[in-house]
Amino acid sequence: MPHTRATHLTRRGILAAGGALGLGAALAACGDGGKSAGSGGQAKPGRSGAWSFKDDRGRTVKLDSVPTKIVAFTGVAAALYDYGIKVTGVFGPTRTKDGKADVQAGDMDVSKLTVFGNVFNQFNVEEYAAFGPQVLITTTFDPEGTLWYVPLESAAKIAELAPSVAISVYDRPLTGPLQRMWELAESLGADTGSAKVTDAKKRFEAAAARLRKAARSRPEIKVMAGSAAQDAFYVSGTNLSADLEYFKSLGVNLVEPSEAAKKPTGGWFETLSWENVDKHPADIIIMDDRSSAIQPADITKATWKKLPAVKAGQVIPRSAEPILSYDKCAPLLENLAKAIETARKVS
C-alpha cells in the first residue's frame, strides 16, 4: 500500500501492499493503544446486558450495553452490514465523486450514512462528537495496532470520545480476520446461525476448495497483483497482504517482487516505472479495485497495453482491502479460480 517503508509502516506502504489507496499519502492512521459475518444476516432481537470485546491489540472494550451508536471504517461497516448489524456513522471511502457507493461500501445505502471523512486524513471530529459514538471500529495494518484511517493529528481527540476496537489484517491469512469479524458481529447481536450467514460461509469454503484445485491443476499460471497510479505501477508481494497470503497457501503461483521479498517488515510491494511494467512475467493480473487506484480500463500507458496478460484479456479485479464478510470474500476466490481455470499461458 505505500511508499515509505519501515518497521512502523507508512500509509503509502500499506496502500500499495494492498494496492495504492491514495498512493502518495503518508500513513497517518493512529492507534490508541493478534486474528469472523456473511451476507444478509439478521441481528438478534432484544439483545441486552453488558457488552465486551477483546480486539486484536489485546484491548478489551467494556460497555454497559451492546452499542448501537457505532462508528466504523467504511469497509468494516460494510462487513457488519452483511451480518445484519447496521452502522450509520462511517469514515473512509464511502462515496465516489459522482455520489455513488464506493466499492468499499459494499451493499450499504450510502445516502443514509453519516460520513465523517470520505478520504484519507479527513475526519470531522466535531461532527463525530455530536453523533455521540459509543464505540469506533476499524482495521489495523501494522503490529503497533495503528487505527486505519484515523488521522494522526486528531487521534487523541477522537480517542477521548469513544473507545476503539481494531481487527488486524496484518501478517495473517484472510481466514483470520474473517473469523474475527464474525466474532465481533456475533457479539454485537448478529445471528451467525442464520441460513444466509452459514450459507455464505459454506460458499466461501467451497470457493477455497475450488481455488486450491485450480491452482494445483494449473501450477504454470503466474498471477501478479498490481495497482496503478499516474506515475508508477505497484506489484504486491504475498508477505503481509491477507488475501495474497491466503491465495498463496492455497497454491496460487503468485509473482513475488524482489524488492518486497528483501523487506520482511515493510515489503508490501515493489514500485515500478511504467517503462518497466513488464519486469515480472505474468499470465493473469489482479488489479486493485479501490477508487484511489487507476482502474485497468483507464490506463493509457502503451507499455501496459503491450503486456501479454492485458492483450489476452486476463486482467481481473482484486479487492486489496476485502470487506471482511464471507459473503463478500467468496466471490474473490471464485473469480480467481475461474481466471486460473480458463487462462492461456502467455508469459
Side-chain angles (χ1 to χ4, degrees), residues 285-347:
I285 304 176
I286 53 177
M287 290 290 289
D288 183 2
D289 69 355
R290 289 175 295 180
S291 56
S292 52
I294 299 175
Q295 296 307 299
D298 298 320
I299 299 175
T300 59
K301 305 292 185 180
T303 49
W304 163 261
K305 295 181 179 181
K306 292 179 181 179
L307 292 177
V310 175
K311 293 172 68 175
Q314 294 175 177
V315 178
I316 66 171
R318 172 200 174 203
S319 292
E321 286 184 66
I323 293 173
L324 298 172
S325 71
Y326 291 104
D327 179 71
K328 294 298 182 294
C329 286
L332 307 182
L333 276 62
E334 292 168 345
N335 292 341
L336 181 54
K338 181 179 179 180
I340 293 173
E341 291 164 351
T342 60
R344 292 190 293 115
K345 180 66 179 175
V346 295
S347 65

Side-chain angles (χ1 to χ4, degrees), residues 5-48:
R5 287 172 291 248
T7 300
H8 182 73
L9 298 174
T10 65
R11 162 178 175 75
R12 185 170 181 82
I14 290 178
L15 290 183
L21 208 176
L23 293 172
L27 176 56
C30 177
D32 37 53
K35 290 177 186 192
S36 263
S39 173
Q42 296 292 318
K44 294 178 181 177
R47 182 75 181 269
S48 60

Side-chain angles (χ1 to χ4, degrees), residues 121-136:
N121 217 28
Q122 179 188 89
F123 197 114
N124 192 314
V125 180
E126 290 71 26
E127 289 186 6
Y128 178 66
F131 184 82
Q134 293 173 290
V135 65
L136 179 149

Side-chain angles (χ1 to χ4, degrees), residues 2-7 9 13 170 239-240 260 263-269:
H3 270 215
T4 326
R5 287 172 291 248
T7 300
L9 298 174
Y170 174 74
N239 187 40
L240 306 182
K263 304 181 188 305
T265 57
W268 294 82
F269 66 101

